[in-house]
Amino acid sequence: MHSMFEAVRDGTRAEGIDGVEVVTRAALAATAADVLTADGFVLGTPANLGTMSGALKHCFDTIYYPCLDETRGRPYGVYVHGNNDVDGALRDIAKITTGLDWRQAQAPVRVTGEPTSDDLAACWELGAALAATLM
């Protein structure tokens, strides 16, 4: 079975999507330079203790001010997986992406419990939709 990440990545390679280079970075490895050179973003995180992962929060803390003016208006999508609740994580991500003035290209993919085939299809669609906005 594919992971949510693999489903998103596969979606970015959908038939008809041309000229989009996909670069993946773990949240703790992503730098301001990575964000500044990207035309759009797909963010993925588990929901831990009612919020996004510490790794994604650290990424945002690292890139926020260096990227604030230069990345305004860039499209993003997000997928979140939690055991029973993802609302806090999505709320916190929305606060930060609103501050960055990124525009949401697709509705968030919200998964609680074990990901189903429908959840993986939604992740694939997220990847395809974001890649399509960058063509």
Side-chain angles (χ1 to χ4, degrees):
M1 176 194 264
H2 269 40
S3 70
M4 293 171 66
F5 166 79
E6 291 168 327
V8 169
R9 188 186 57 211
D10 288 351
T12 67
R13 300 173 180 155
E15 185 176 333
I17 295 179
D18 295 313
V20 176
E21 178 186 358
V22 176
V23 177
T24 61
R25 294 282 186 273
L28 290 176
T31 66
D34 293 326
V35 173
L36 289 168
T37 59
D39 295 321
F41 315 97
V42 176
L43 311 169
T45 185
N48 294 325
L49 304 172
T51 189
M52 72 185 100
S53 68
L56 184 57
K57 176 65 167 77
H58 174 77
C59 176
F60 280 135
D61 287 345
T62 301
I63 66 97
Y64 191 86
Y65 288 107
C67 299
L68 183 59
D69 293 326
E70 299 297 321
T71 63
R72 290 187 188 283
R74 292 190 189 169
Y76 82 97
V78 60
Y79 63 98
V80 179
H81 177 243
N83 287 333
N84 53 23
D85 179 32
V86 299
D87 293 340
L90 287 168
R91 189 172 34 254
D92 291 343
I93 291 167
K95 288 177 190 176
I96 295 167
T97 55
T98 297
L100 287 164
D101 198 24
W102 292 356
R103 66 179 167 80
Q104 190 172 312
Q106 182 86 348
V109 176
R110 314 162 52 94
V111 178
T112 54
E114 189 67 30
T116 66
S117 59
D118 287 344
D119 295 329
L120 296 177
C123 287
W124 187 94
E125 180 64 33
L126 175 67
L130 191 49
T133 67
L134 300 175
M135 288 184 19

